[in-house]
Amino acid sequence: MSAALESVLAGLGPVAVAVSGGVDSLTLATIAHRTSAEPPLMVHAVSPAVPGEATERVRAEAAREGWSLRVIEAGEFADPAYRENPVNRCFFCKTNLYGAIRRVTGRQIVSGANLDDLGEYRPGLDAAREHGVRHPFVEASFSKAMVRALARDLGLGAVAELPAAPCLSSRVETGIRIEPETLAFIHAVERLVGDDLTVTGAKRAVRCRVRAAGIVVELDPQSLASLPEGAQADLGRRIAAQAPARLSDAPVSFAPYRTGSAFLTGVAR
C-alpha cells in the first residue's frame, strides 16, 4: 500500500515535515524517516492553539524513532488577521506556520493533508500552495482511512486511532477574537469532560465551543445520553467556575457534536 507514497517521497528530495501531532502528520513523518535516502527534518510548532498533549506526542515519537526534530514558535498570535478570527483564519495560521518553517530550513516542506481534506473548505491549503508545500498523501491518493491503515502497518499503535483534533482555535465561533486564555479554558473543559466520559479506556467526542450566545459543550450521542439533566447542571457549574473573566457570565449548555459547528460563513463581529 505504501509503494506509491514512497515513490512520491523519493521524488521530493530532502524534506521538512510539518508535524502537528495528529495521525496524518505523525504517519507521514514516520514513513518518511524510515524510507527516505536522507533523513527528513521534522518541525513542530507550539502555540496557545496547540494542546500540550500534541507536543508531548511528537517529542515521544521523535525519541522513539530517532527523528531530527525542531520545535518552533509559529508566531500566529502576533498576527492581527489571525487573532480577529475571520472565515479564513486558517489561511493566516498556515501562512505563519510555513513562513516560520521556511526560516529554519530550505528543504521541501510537506504536510499530512490527505484526499478527505480536499472535500472541505480548507483555506490553509491556499497558504500551502503559496509556500510551495507538497502533500504526499494527496499525491499518492491516500484517504484518511488509508492513512490510519498505514499507521497500523507501521506499528504506531494508539496513534493510528487518534480522533480528529483540529487546533483549539477551531472551537471559537467565527468573528470572536482568539485569546490565549480562551483557548486554555477550552482545553481545560475538554479534558475535564473527557475524563468524566472515559468508557473502557476510550474517549468520546468532546468539543467545547465558545459562541456569542455562550459556552456549548458538544458530545457524541452516547455520551450526551449518559448525562441526565442533573449531571449536566453539575458539570455546567464546574465548567463555569473555570471560565476566564470575559466568559464569566456566559451560559453553559450541552448539544450533539457537529463537525466544524463553530465555523460561520460570512459572519463578522
Side-chain angles (χ1 to χ4, degrees):
M1 180 177 67
S2 64
L5 179 61
E6 291 179 33
S7 177
V8 170
L9 288 168
L12 294 176
V15 299
V17 185
V19 188
S20 66
V23 59
D24 299 319
S25 63
L26 287 171
T27 302
L28 180 62
T30 299
I31 193 165
H33 177 74
R34 294 185 187 179
T35 64
S36 297
E38 182 171 343
L41 172 66
M42 315 308 181
V43 186
H44 174 71
V46 294
S47 90
V50 178
E53 305 94 275
T55 300
E56 292 169 8
R57 195 179 302 123
V58 171
R59 290 189 183 279
E61 289 299 320
R64 187 167 74 94
E65 294 282 333
W67 294 346
S68 174
L69 173 67
R70 288 286 299 271
V71 177
I72 64 172
E73 299 239 357
E76 76 271 30
F77 276 74
D79 184 350
Y82 170 85
R83 297 285 296 277
E84 289 171 4
N85 194 17
V87 168
N88 62 339
R89 180 198 68 246
C90 290
F91 172 82
F92 300 106
C93 173
K94 296 300 187 184
T95 293
N96 283 280
L97 170 64
Y98 297 135
I101 294 176
R102 179 55 65 222
R103 286 192 288 275
V104 301
T105 181
R107 292 173 172 232
Q108 172 64 57
I109 302 172
V110 296
S111 90
N114 61 71
L115 289 179
D116 291 15
D117 297 321
L118 304 185
E120 303 174 354
Y121 175 59
R122 295 288 182 111
L125 292 176
D126 295 332
R129 188 161 43 250
E130 290 188 4
H131 284 80
V133 176
R134 299 279 291 271
H135 312 295
F137 286 138
V138 173
E139 296 180 36
S141 299
F142 266 59
S143 65
K144 184 78 168 190
M146 293 171 68
V147 173
R148 291 191 186 280
L150 177 59
R152 296 183 194 106
D153 290 346
L154 294 172
L156 295 184
V159 167
E161 313 308 326
L162 284 172
C167 78
L168 294 172
S169 294
S170 69
R171 276 74 150 168
V172 182
E173 189 174 85
T174 300
I176 296 176
R177 183 175 170 80
I178 302 295
E179 300 289 356
E181 60 268 25
T182 300
L183 303 189
F185 166 70
I186 288 170
H187 188 218
V189 169
E190 292 186 353
R191 294 192 67 174
L192 168 67
V193 177
D195 287 345
D196 278 7
L197 295 176
T198 298
V199 180
T200 62
K203 300 265 186 186
R204 302 292 182 180
V206 180
R207 290 289 187 273
C208 175
R209 311 290 193 190
V210 172
R211 304 183 182 279
I215 299 161
V216 182
V217 178
E218 295 183 353
L219 304 171
D220 63 277
Q222 183 178 345
S223 296
L224 190 59
S226 74
L227 282 178
E229 188 173 328
Q232 289 187 20
D234 176 66
L235 191 52
R237 285 190 290 269
R238 292 162 63 194
I239 290 169
Q242 297 190 33
R246 64 174 296 270
L247 296 173
S248 59
D249 296 325
V252 179
S253 60
F254 294 81
Y257 169 62
R258 291 189 298 116
T259 303
S261 67
F263 176 75
L264 303 177
T265 303
V267 169
R269 291 189 179 88

